[in-house]
Amino acid sequence: MTENAFVLPGTVQFDLAPVSGGEPYRILLFVPKGEPPAEGWPLLLTTDGNATFPFAVSSLVTQAPYPSGTGIDWGVVAAIGYPGDEPYNAQRRAWDLGPPPIKSYPPYFEGGPPVRIGGTGELLAFIEMQLLPRLAQMVKLDIRRRSLFGHSFGGLFTLYALFERPGLFANWIAASPTIYWEGSEILNNETARQRVPGNTAFLHLSAGEFEGDHLAPFQHSNEDAAARLEKKKTERTVALALEMAERLDGSDDGIRTQFELFTGQTHMSVLGPAVNRAVSIAFAVAQEIEESHANAQ
């Protein structure tokens, strides 16, 4: 039997280093077959690309062929990952996705390098000044239909980017955002957020059912059950996301919000449903988009 590596059809990858210096990112890209719409393809960009890209592409290619039944049409998926085969690069994502202030934490393992956070501004500049222009050179994109997705620290980055560059994407999808991080420092970014006259951004916040006040059934027998439950009280993932959604919805700077609780999901298992929701938001058929806008007015 001959064994060959499996490749997701329609996908490519390339490395792109920031012009400001530093290690390259692994960019993962899916482009549909055929000619793009006259206005260009809609785009979904995800962080933690090694983990999220396969979910997003599989979700899209199984639903887009049946738009009347799924409400989902074709589009381009791009993801920011890291060279290597692991789904997460803990060291680099901490810096890239953890907003300022710049801080160092103890190493993940004995003898390892300290963990640094605070590089979100650099990643956001890379996306705006390098990645989006590069993608636009490779494929025709509709600049009015760009969406950004992030989970956990990636969800926190999505919020940071929304507050700093609200006109960069039309849809902002933050799954299980770590709003509690550094004493909920992100709320200061929310208060001081940039406002774009006439801009209407859509923010989708979500969390798993078992990111709230209760453990998942299988977690009750774990040795760390008590500590895990106490940690939930600090993180308040569900409550803080819901509070932000309610606070920002219909605000004077034109942000529309929606909060969604994914039943039966934990912080990690929620990734699949959350990416699927991001696909449905980013690639909603034109009629769905028009109806959504009408309902918001």
Side-chain angles (χ1 to χ4, degrees), residues 193-212:
R193 65 187 180 276
Q194 297 295 315
R195 290 166 167 80
V196 179
N199 181 66
T200 301
F202 174 64
L203 170 62
H204 183 276
L205 289 150
S206 66
E209 176 186 1
F210 297 121
E211 295 187 87

Side-chain angles (χ1 to χ4, degrees), residues 12-132:
V12 297
Q13 64 180 28
F14 59 93
D15 289 352
L16 185 61
V19 294
S20 58
E23 298 179 72
Y25 293 101
R26 174 68 46 84
I27 307 302
L28 308 165
L29 180 66
F30 168 82
V31 179
K33 295 179 180 179
E35 291 297 316
E39 62 276 13
W41 296 113
L43 169 70
L44 172 62
L45 178 64
T46 72
T47 56
D48 285 320
N50 301 55
T52 57
F53 184 71
F55 278 111
V57 173
S58 296
S59 175
L60 178 60
V61 301
T62 55
Q63 296 183 81
Y66 315 102
S68 63
T70 63
I72 294 173
D73 214 334
W74 291 104
V76 170
V77 178
I80 305 170
Y82 304 100
D85 296 329
E86 296 299 316
Y88 295 100
N89 184 316
Q91 201 75 31
R92 289 191 64 183
R93 77 185 297 269
W95 172 255
D96 287 335
L97 305 179
I102 295 175
K103 292 190 67 174
S104 292
Y105 292 85
Y108 285 121
F109 55 89
E110 186 175 352
V115 178
R116 298 178 68 237
I117 67 165
T120 48
E122 294 181 11
L123 178 57
L124 184 55
F126 169 79
I127 291 172
E128 182 177 17
M129 306 305 295
Q130 281 188 254
L131 180 56
L132 290 178

Side-chain angles (χ1 to χ4, degrees), residues 142-160:
D142 185 347
I143 63 172
R144 302 167 303 169
R145 294 189 62 190
R146 297 191 300 216
S147 303
L148 177 66
F149 169 84
H151 166 255
S152 191
F153 247 26
L156 187 63
F157 172 78
T158 298
L159 296 177
Y160 173 88

Side-chain angles (χ1 to χ4, degrees), residues 161-261:
L162 167 62
F163 300 146
E164 293 294 317
R165 299 285 191 278
L168 197 56
F169 294 89
N171 302 305
W172 307 79
I173 304 130
S176 305
T178 51
I179 295 173
Y180 80 95
W181 189 255
E182 282 295 314
S184 293
E185 176 69 26
I186 193 65
L187 299 185
N188 292 325
N189 298 88
E190 177 192 329
T191 300
R193 65 187 180 276
Q194 297 295 315
R195 290 166 167 80
V196 179
N199 181 66
T200 301
F202 174 64
L203 170 62
H204 183 276
L205 289 150
S206 66
E209 176 186 1
F210 297 121
E211 295 187 87
D213 299 329
H214 304 287
L215 295 174
F218 67 88
Q219 293 174 333
H220 286 281
S221 59
N222 292 351
E223 292 183 358
D224 66 346
R228 186 180 294 272
L229 190 58
E230 194 63 28
K231 189 169 182 282
K232 289 176 181 287
K233 296 178 182 178
T234 300
E235 296 175 350
R236 301 183 62 232
T237 303
V238 173
L240 290 176
L242 177 57
E243 289 170 9
M244 179 175 285
E246 293 175 342
R247 188 167 58 246
L248 289 176
D249 191 38
S251 54
D252 57 3
D253 48 358
I255 297 178
R256 297 183 298 112
T257 70
Q258 182 182 55
F259 174 78
E260 184 169 4
L261 188 70

